Amino acid sequence: MVRVYLELSVLIALANPFDLFHNQTRKFLDEIKRLGFESISCRQAVEMDLAIGVAKRPLRVTDALRILEAIDTYGIKLLSPHSRTLLLLVNEYLKETSLKIGDLLHYAGATLLDAKCLTSWNTDDFNPRFEKAINKVNKKKNLKTIKVGTPTIILEWLQ
């Protein structure tokens, strides 16, 4: 089964009906399901992102709960790669990129969870330039390479 990895920005858009990308995200997930693909995310990365968001802004608890509810409602699987393996891969990525650890957890999660692609609305940190650096490490370590793009772009690739 083809796995499509959802980074936090996609989950945020899904959970917030007022988000600019909400409708596109819902259509994307409906199409992924129709095609028989599995939507996933890394439990450790999502939990860390939500914890940091709540710590920075305590009023974000409601937002975090909405995201968790959307994950359940849309049948997105939160999967847990081995934490030590995840962190070792993040450390390898740090040698090749200037990205923050939170973003690298998503890249490592997508890789270790055998996703075909990683989808994100955050094109600053999830783009072809960083995809190239991540895949350089993945190739060196004999890991699967991944494609990175917005849900719109990923859908074009998958059809």
Side-chain angles (χ1 to χ4, degrees), residues 88-98 104 137 140:
L88 288 172
L89 187 54
V90 164
N91 284 329
E92 290 298 314
Y93 291 159
L94 278 170
K95 296 174 187 174
E96 297 292 329
T97 72
S98 59
L104 294 175
V137 172
K140 187 170 73 174

Side-chain angles (χ1 to χ4, degrees), residues 6 11 14-15 29 33 39-41 43 46-47 50 63-79:
L6 309 177
L11 301 175
L14 182 64
L29 286 174
K33 183 180 268 187
S39 55
I40 66 165
S41 200
R43 179 176 299 281
V46 170
E47 288 177 352
L50 294 180
D63 295 336
L65 292 174
R66 282 191 188 118
I67 291 168
L68 293 172
E69 182 179 9
I71 288 168
D72 287 341
T73 300
Y74 285 88
I76 299 161
K77 292 185 180 175
L78 286 183
L79 304 175

Side-chain angles (χ1 to χ4, degrees), residues 11-125:
L11 301 175
I12 289 169
L14 182 64
N16 181 357
F18 301 108
D19 189 285
L20 180 64
F21 297 111
H22 177 74
N23 290 333
Q24 288 174 274
T25 303
R26 286 186 54 200
K27 288 176 187 174
F28 170 73
L29 286 174
D30 290 343
E31 189 63 16
I32 292 299
K33 183 180 268 187
R34 188 190 69 73
L35 292 168
F37 299 156
E38 183 176 40
S39 55
I40 66 165
S41 200
C42 175
R43 179 176 299 281
Q44 293 98 317
V46 170
E47 288 177 352
M48 188 199 74
D49 281 341
L50 294 180
I52 289 171
V54 169
K56 286 182 179 177
R57 293 188 176 150
L59 296 178
R60 290 265 168 105
V61 170
T62 303
D63 295 336
L65 292 174
R66 282 191 188 118
I67 291 168
L68 293 172
E69 182 179 9
I71 288 168
D72 287 341
T73 300
Y74 285 88
I76 299 161
K77 292 185 180 175
L78 286 183
L79 304 175
S80 301
H82 187 270
S83 291
R84 179 163 172 71
T85 306
L86 186 69
L87 290 174
L88 288 172
L89 187 54
V90 164
N91 284 329
E92 290 298 314
Y93 291 159
L94 278 170
K95 296 174 187 174
E96 297 292 329
T97 72
S98 59
L99 289 170
K100 296 177 185 170
I101 290 176
D103 295 330
L104 294 175
L105 279 171
H106 286 290
Y107 279 109
T111 298
L112 295 173
L113 294 171
D114 198 34
K116 180 177 182 88
C117 49
L118 183 159
T119 183
S120 175
W121 291 115
N122 174 359
T123 56
D124 290 339
D125 299 326

